[in-house]
Amino acid sequence: MEHHQSGATHRQGRDGTQFALELPSDLRLIDGAIGYLATRLRDYGYEGSRLTLNFRVGVSEALANAMIYGNGRDPAKKVRVEVDLRLEHVTVVVHDQGNGFDPGSIPDPTLPENLEEPGGRGIFLIRELMDEVDFAGCGNCVRLVLYRHEPLSRAS
């Protein structure tokens, strides 16, 4: 089933739901978008620090990067957020309208020589908090996956 709602497209099936949001590049919109997404995840049983820390911070950083670096803070440019919400995992794909970048060129912010440098912390946080991160396409798209329960390979 698919239906449209102001700026969002929804398709719901038996095992999950898919929907998309389009946001202008305005950092003030991130908290509201994350709050909406968190509410949707709660409906599927997501809770605890996987939702309140991993999901919130990881997706917030991806949205901020798309708005700041991808779209250059241009409010005329949009950030598209595609969500595939399942009982066991959620996939969020964030697209911006920028020229893209090479994620391999981002320095590791934890290395001593980079500790005082301003870049790379957002991507570092995304990689640490999400279970899967893939910079697909031409560098203006990131795919984030978070499992409802921490995978055994990451649990310690």
Side-chain angles (χ1 to χ4, degrees):
M1 169 191 262
E2 183 172 319
H3 62 278
H4 299 274
Q5 192 175 46
S6 61
T9 302
H10 301 262
R11 186 174 40 205
Q12 187 154 0
R14 190 179 60 187
D15 300 322
T17 186
Q18 296 175 327
F19 57 95
L21 308 172
E22 280 199 1
L23 305 170
S25 294
D26 182 341
L27 295 172
R28 295 172 296 183
L29 300 176
I30 292 176
D31 281 346
I34 295 297
Y36 171 75
L37 295 172
T39 297
R40 298 295 302 266
L41 268 67
R42 278 190 194 94
D43 292 343
Y44 278 77
Y46 291 77
E47 60 185 12
S49 65
R50 304 280 296 160
L51 175 64
T52 60
L53 174 65
N54 296 62
F55 182 81
R56 280 187 173 271
V57 175
V59 177
S60 292
E61 287 294 333
L63 291 175
N65 284 346
M67 291 178 182
I68 295 170
Y69 302 111
N71 288 346
R73 296 180 185 252
D74 180 349
K77 292 184 176 178
K78 306 282 188 205
V79 172
R80 182 172 174 82
V81 182
E82 297 172 354
V83 180
D84 183 1
L85 177 55
R86 307 287 172 156
L87 289 173
E88 294 306 317
H89 70 277
V90 59
T91 302
V92 178
V93 181
V94 177
H95 302 262
D96 63 54
Q97 294 182 299
N99 294 324
F101 74 105
D102 175 8
S105 68
I106 304 299
D108 181 346
T110 64
L111 294 177
E113 63 269 25
N114 297 329
L115 290 177
E116 300 296 322
E117 298 297 323
R121 290 183 181 89
I123 290 176
F124 174 80
L125 284 172
I126 291 169
R127 286 180 168 145
E128 289 296 312
L129 293 170
M130 302 304 284
D131 296 318
E132 296 176 24
V133 178
D134 178 34
F135 295 92
C138 63
N140 65 353
C141 172
V142 60
R143 179 181 159 272
L144 313 169
V145 177
L146 184 72
Y147 292 94
R148 191 165 114 184
H149 301 288
E150 187 169 5
L152 293 176
S153 61
R154 290 189 70 161
S156 56

